[in-house]
Amino acid sequence: MLAAALADGTAHRRTSFEVFARRLPDGRRYGITGGTGRFLNALPQFTFGDSELAALEKFCDADTLAYLADYRFSGDIDGYPEGELYFPGSPVLSVHGTFAECVLLETLVLSIFNHDTAIASAAARMVSAAQGRPLIEMGSRRTHESAAVAASRAAYLAGFTGSSNLEAERTHGVPALGTSAHAFTLLHSSAGQSASDGEKAAFRAQVEALGVGTTLLVDTYDITAGVANAIDAAGPELGAVRIDSGDLGVLARQVRAQLDGLGATGTRIVVSGDLDEFAIAALRAEPVDIYGVGTSVVTGSGAPTASMVYKLVEVDGLPVAKRSSRKESHGGRKQAVRLAKESGTIVEEIVYPRDDEAGDIPSDLVARPVTTELVREGRVVADLSLASARERVQQGLLSLPWDGLKLSKGEPAVPTRMISPRGR
Amino acid sequence: MLAAALADGTAHRRTSFEVFARRLPDGRRYGITGGTGRFLNALPQFTFGDSELAALEKFCDADTLAYLADYRFSGDIDGYPEGELYFPGSPVLSVHGTFAECVLLETLVLSIFNHDTAIASAAARMVSAAQGRPLIEMGSRRTHESAAVAASRAAYLAGFTGSSNLEAERTHGVPALGTSAHAFTLLHSSAGQSASDGEKAAFRAQVEALGVGTTLLVDTYDITAGVANAIDAAGPELGAVRIDSGDLGVLARQVRAQLDGLGATGTRIVVSGDLDEFAIAALRAEPVDIYGVGTSVVTGSGAPTASMVYKLVEVDGLPVAKRSSRKESHGGRKQAVRLAKESGTIVEEIVYPRDDEAGDIPSDLVARPVTTELVREGRVVADLSLASARERVQQGLLSLPWDGLKLSKGEPAVPTRMISPRGR
């Protein structure tokens, strides 16, 4: 496409591309915009070096290679700040520049947004289901090694307390948290020794190295014996025990009673093992202190991609849209406002042409612009702090109507109204 | 765990860790081992540099940091060659060395195997459903930017013809294939010109740049007009047209008739748009020449992770296994043979202790060892060629019993028999 557009001159036409999702994953009521920060950090590095150019020689003519050698995005980008709620049709990102410079960004933009948004959106449902109890992301081993680092970041963005992924701590500042594995207990088993003695040796070694504030994994052999061994090794000041198997609700109650009986009333209970938002919600009434979540959060809990698309919506100031069946798109560069009651509860999102007005806003509603400036002439102008984004997710969840927080399948929490360009 | 094990000396015990899946994804009948090559290429690079060590200072004592600074895996690894079929309990990888050197590999091993195996397993079902018709992987935009490159490789491993991911061509030699996007056609629309004239201009530019062998996307506006414009621009020697929306079966028949009527009998039809193995199978009777597959293949078609685990199975020559509820594991270092009829159709997999025999093999069956040597004293000794792995997938699919190739939900295609260590 680039080669052909450079050859006939259309590569230099001014264009706008828009990132949006035609729908939320099956039955979801809201989504969380994720990936904005990673994308804006990647943007200045998205260039073509000697090795890349050499690999492209067989596909591209000399003019195209020369264009790529000098490539650096120099246009403007608007969009939703990271952590913002989004709904079907929300213009999450809006990219402006020549066709050539914009079309090259498609895969970079969509890969980052589709992945990070999928994880953040699933994670937010878990955070909401946990009702204030901390969640630790522990799913690195269930997804691609680089996706794992991005997934830790996205889960943290959505309100998780931290992650077992140390690289996410190094790269993104996600607090590193974790426990030990069954292998550590099994390692301490020896010929001629009981399983319980091996477990005690393992717990003593862990407490020796990490202090009594550590979390001991008590379900390698027998949970009741495991809890007794844990308090035996660490004393009643033990930080936490982890249960990773069995009926977590029943076991949590049983372990809580046992810990309290041993005087370990401050020892917390971490549960893990195939938890998703539904299992988390089902444990609300149980004495669980911390959830460890793996597979479900890093795979988007049934929705591993956010299905966002990157569509050309404007050429030389003129809205464009394809008309093939099922996949109509709305032309023109757009922006969004969100309407809320005085209480802060949102009622509608309005998506309208960039150079128009959003229309009359009822006097009992407050209109907040959602679209912000992210990049101007290739330079990032937005606040990329993960802390601000985390705050935004919290505010967003608070702003949803009650029905929007339901875990069951339903419609988007608020409708999106699309206002077409004038005279069309 | 590493710090505690170094402090009490257990870090130096000889251990075996095993990678296996307790079950296949919901209703799948076989899996394809993916990631072996990527893992073995990553292994020599898995070391801790100054930046990593600095980031670990707040978590680790000086002895642990010193151990990590010198870390390099120097043990042995056995396993299934890449592309090999696997079933529940198959010891896909078996890692041997000190506890310290093995436990550090867990996340690297599992991230690569869980991702690549999930994609390869889904892709193999699509290849089998396509019955010889070529498939192009086009899903990069639907998954994490690095996972996308690994996904292209895994799809190619499983029998896809190529991928639209150019980085996968550069890194893994996956043939680069692709078409253009709707944006290219929309770009050529101009004020005061009909949509059809814009489409013609786009097609002419593409043919001019890429020759008549190119693939033109004909569904931006009206498909019948699009096909007419395509042949008008390229002549009847046009390589292919792509249809990306609508009822693909009906449209393929209609477009085939139109192309034939225009004398373009050699022009092929590429279809794409939310295809998965079921949609591919449903198009078997239609005049489709090539499938373009995106979201479903890069997300594992409903199973984005292979659920493989990395379990300690042996310490100082002694089998170990945890006994907590629901998650029992089988102790001891293992190997596998697969039994087949003379015809080549497999009937059973036997997983047995490494130092034992597989037991009596019925005289009418052939036993083929599946476990091979991959690494010896830290050095890779296996053939990592992707071409061999592709051939292995093909042979594996041919060796499945008829029922094993069914797309519907069912049991694993062959049973796995686990032989426990003697005297247990």
Side-chain angles (χ1 to χ4, degrees):
Chain A
M1 285 196 286
L2 178 64
L6 285 170
D8 78 353
T10 51
H12 309 294
R13 291 189 174 177
R14 306 299 305 176
T15 59
S16 292
F17 281 80
E18 185 179 295
V19 175
F20 63 96
R22 290 196 179 86
R23 56 188 178 282
L24 296 173
D26 188 27
R28 295 275 184 88
R29 294 161 189 256
Y30 65 90
I32 298 289
T33 306
T36 323
R38 284 213 307 123
F39 165 64
L40 295 178
N41 278 320
L43 186 63
Q45 299 161 47
F46 190 73
T47 55
F48 296 80
D50 291 343
S51 158
E52 287 84 5
L53 292 170
L56 288 170
E57 265 174 19
K58 65 178 119 167
F59 303 106
C60 298
D61 60 86
D63 285 350
T64 307
L65 290 171
Y67 178 85
L68 292 173
D70 289 337
Y71 180 76
R72 210 178 177 299
F73 181 76
S74 65
D76 294 345
I77 303 180
D78 298 326
Y80 284 29
E82 187 156 25
E84 187 60 79
L85 295 171
Y86 78 91
F87 301 98
S90 294
V92 165
L93 207 73
S94 189
V95 180
H96 318 286
T98 65
F99 175 76
E101 68 182 338
C102 293
V103 78
L104 284 177
L105 292 182
E106 173 166 3
T107 303
L108 180 71
V109 167
L110 286 182
S111 289
I112 293 177
F113 276 86
N114 273 324
H115 176 268
D116 292 14
T117 296
I119 310 306
S121 298
R125 283 161 58 88
M126 297 172 191
V127 168
S128 148
Q131 294 192 313
R133 290 176 179 170
L135 298 132
I136 307 176
E137 185 280 307
M138 296 182 168
S140 293
R141 292 159 297 170
R142 309 290 176 236
T143 186
H144 180 277
E145 67 274 21
S146 298
V149 182
S152 295
R153 180 187 178 279
Y156 180 61
L157 159 71
F160 272 53
T161 304
S163 162
S164 64
N165 191 301
L166 286 163
E167 181 63 20
E169 210 265 351
R170 188 171 79 104
T171 314
H172 301 298
V174 177
L177 297 168
T179 74
S180 53
H182 296 107
F184 186 74
T185 299
L186 293 173
L187 170 70
H188 285 81
S189 60
S190 297
Q193 186 196 45
S194 74
S196 186
D197 284 345
E199 184 172 67
K200 270 185 214 168
F203 288 172
R204 277 194 300 266
Q206 187 175 332
V207 170
E208 184 71 29
L210 299 166
V212 295
T214 193
T215 301
L216 296 174
L217 177 61
V218 294
D219 72 344
T220 304
Y221 305 114
D222 174 84
I223 291 183
T224 306
V227 170
N229 286 338
I231 300 304
D232 189 54
E237 302 301 309
L238 174 63
V241 295
R242 174 159 76 110
I243 313 169
D244 186 47
S245 50
D247 182 323
L248 296 173
V250 171
L251 291 173
R253 260 174 282 151
Q254 187 183 306
V255 166
R256 182 73 269 156
Q258 188 184 358
L259 286 171
D260 289 349
L262 292 165
T265 52
T267 300
R268 295 189 294 173
I269 297 177
V270 182
V271 296
S272 59
D274 294 328
L275 292 178
D276 61 12
E277 60 267 48
F278 303 102
I280 290 166
L283 288 166
R284 271 181 196 162
E286 309 302 341
V288 165
D289 298 292
I290 299 171
Y291 299 97
V293 187
T295 307
S296 65
V297 66
V298 301
T299 58
S301 199
T305 181
S307 298
M308 287 189 180
V309 294
Y310 184 82
K311 292 297 167 192
L312 180 64
V313 293
E314 196 168 297
V315 178
D316 285 340
L318 224 73
V320 297
K322 67 176 171 174
R323 274 161 237 159
S324 56
S325 63
R326 280 202 308 129
K327 286 188 175 175
E328 270 190 53
S329 46
H330 297 267
R333 185 171 171 179
K334 306 179 196 70
Q335 57 187 320
V337 294
R338 200 168 287 152
L339 306 191
K341 297 182 199 169
E342 296 284 350
S343 64
T345 301
I346 58 175
V347 296
E348 187 180 37
E349 182 159 309
I350 304 180
V351 178
Y352 61 103
R354 197 220 179 196
D355 301 318
D356 280 9
E357 302 292 324
D360 290 335
I361 309 295
S363 62
D364 58 335
L365 296 179
V366 182
R368 181 173 66 84
V370 189
T371 306
T372 58
E373 299 192 353
L374 300 174
V375 173
R376 282 297 170 268
E377 296 180 7
R379 215 168 44 81
V380 175
V381 295
D383 164 26
L384 300 187
S385 122
L386 204 45
S388 314
R390 272 167 66 84
E391 177 61 27
R392 208 170 283 124
V393 174
Q394 281 205 317
Q395 293 305 320
L397 294 179
L398 286 175
S399 77
L400 283 171
W402 276 111
D403 264 4
L405 287 171
K406 277 189 185 167
L407 294 177
S408 59
K409 292 187 182 183
E411 297 301 308
V414 300
T416 305
R417 180 149 49 106
M418 309 292 292
I419 300 183
S420 293
R422 252 194 286 249
R424 317 202 117 234
Chain B
M1 285 197 283
L2 178 64
L6 285 169
D8 78 354
T10 51
H12 309 295
R13 291 189 174 175
R14 306 297 306 175
T15 58
S16 292
F17 280 81
E18 186 179 295
V19 175
F20 63 96
R22 291 197 178 86
R23 56 189 179 283
L24 296 173
D26 188 27
R28 294 274 183 91
R29 294 162 188 255
Y30 65 91
I32 299 289
T33 306
T36 322
R38 283 215 306 126
F39 166 64
L40 294 177
N41 278 321
L43 186 63
Q45 299 161 47
F46 190 72
T47 56
F48 295 80
D50 291 342
S51 158
E52 287 84 5
L53 292 170
L56 288 169
E57 264 174 21
K58 66 179 119 170
F59 303 108
C60 299
D61 59 84
D63 285 351
T64 307
L65 290 171
Y67 178 86
L68 292 173
D70 289 337
Y71 180 76
R72 209 175 177 301
F73 181 75
S74 65
D76 295 344
I77 303 180
D78 299 327
Y80 285 28
E82 187 156 25
E84 187 59 80
L85 294 170
Y86 78 91
F87 301 98
S90 294
V92 166
L93 207 73
S94 188
V95 180
H96 318 286
T98 65
F99 175 77
E101 68 183 337
C102 292
V103 78
L104 284 177
L105 292 182
E106 173 166 2
T107 303
L108 181 71
V109 168
L110 286 182
S111 289
I112 293 176
F113 275 86
N114 273 325
H115 177 267
D116 291 13
T117 296
I119 310 306
S121 298
R125 284 161 57 87
M126 296 171 191
V127 169
S128 149
Q131 293 193 313
R133 289 175 180 171
L135 297 131
I136 306 176
E137 185 280 306
M138 295 179 171
S140 294
R141 292 159 296 169
R142 308 292 176 235
T143 187
H144 180 276
E145 66 275 20
S146 298
V149 183
S152 294
R153 179 186 178 280
Y156 180 62
L157 159 72
F160 272 52
T161 304
S163 163
S164 64
N165 190 302
L166 285 162
E167 181 64 21
E169 211 266 350
R170 188 171 78 104
T171 314
H172 302 298
V174 176
L177 297 168
T179 74
S180 53
H182 295 108
F184 186 74
T185 298
L186 293 173
L187 171 69
H188 286 80
S189 59
S190 297
Q193 187 195 44
S194 75
S196 185
D197 283 345
E199 184 172 66
K200 269 186 215 169
F203 289 173
R204 276 195 299 267
Q206 187 174 332
V207 170
E208 184 71 28
L210 299 166
V212 296
T214 194
T215 300
L216 296 174
L217 177 60
V218 294
D219 72 344
T220 304
Y221 305 113
D222 173 83
I223 291 184
T224 305
V227 170
N229 286 339
I231 299 304
D232 188 52
E237 300 301 309
L238 175 63
V241 295
R242 174 159 77 108
I243 313 169
D244 185 47
S245 51
D247 182 323
L248 296 172
V250 170
L251 292 174
R253 259 175 283 150
Q254 186 183 308
V255 166
R256 181 73 270 157
Q258 188 184 359
L259 286 170
D260 289 349
L262 292 165
T265 53
T267 299
R268 296 189 295 172
I269 297 176
V270 183
V271 297
S272 59
D274 294 330
L275 292 178
D276 62 12
E277 60 268 48
F278 303 102
I280 290 167
L283 288 166
R284 271 181 195 160
E286 310 302 341
V288 165
D289 298 290
I290 300 172
Y291 299 98
V293 187
T295 307
S296 66
V297 67
V298 301
T299 58
S301 199
T305 181
S307 298
M308 287 191 178
V309 293
Y310 184 82
K311 292 297 166 191
L312 179 65
V313 293
E314 197 168 295
V315 178
D316 285 340
L318 224 74
V320 297
K322 68 175 171 176
R323 274 162 238 159
S324 55
S325 63
R326 280 203 308 129
K327 285 189 176 175
E328 271 190 54
S329 46
H330 297 266
R333 184 170 170 179
K334 304 177 199 73
Q335 56 188 319
V337 294
R338 200 167 287 153
L339 306 190
K341 298 183 200 169
E342 298 284 351
S343 64
T345 302
I346 58 175
V347 298
E348 188 180 35
E349 181 158 311
I350 305 181
V351 178
Y352 61 103
R354 197 216 179 200
D355 300 320
D356 281 8
E357 301 292 324
D360 291 333
I361 308 295
S363 63
D364 59 334
L365 296 181
V366 182
R368 181 173 67 83
V370 190
T371 307
T372 58
E373 299 191 352
L374 300 175
V375 173
R376 282 298 170 269
E377 296 181 5
R379 216 168 44 81
V380 176
V381 296
D383 163 25
L384 300 186
S385 118
L386 203 46
S388 315
R390 271 167 67 84
E391 176 62 27
R392 208 169 284 122
V393 175
Q394 281 205 316
Q395 293 304 318
L397 293 179
L398 286 174
S399 77
L400 284 170
W402 276 112
D403 264 3
L405 288 172
K406 276 188 185 165
L407 294 178
S408 59
K409 291 187 182 184
E411 297 301 308
V414 301
T416 304
R417 180 147 50 105
M418 308 294 292
I419 300 183
S420 293
R422 253 194 285 250
R424 318 203 116 232

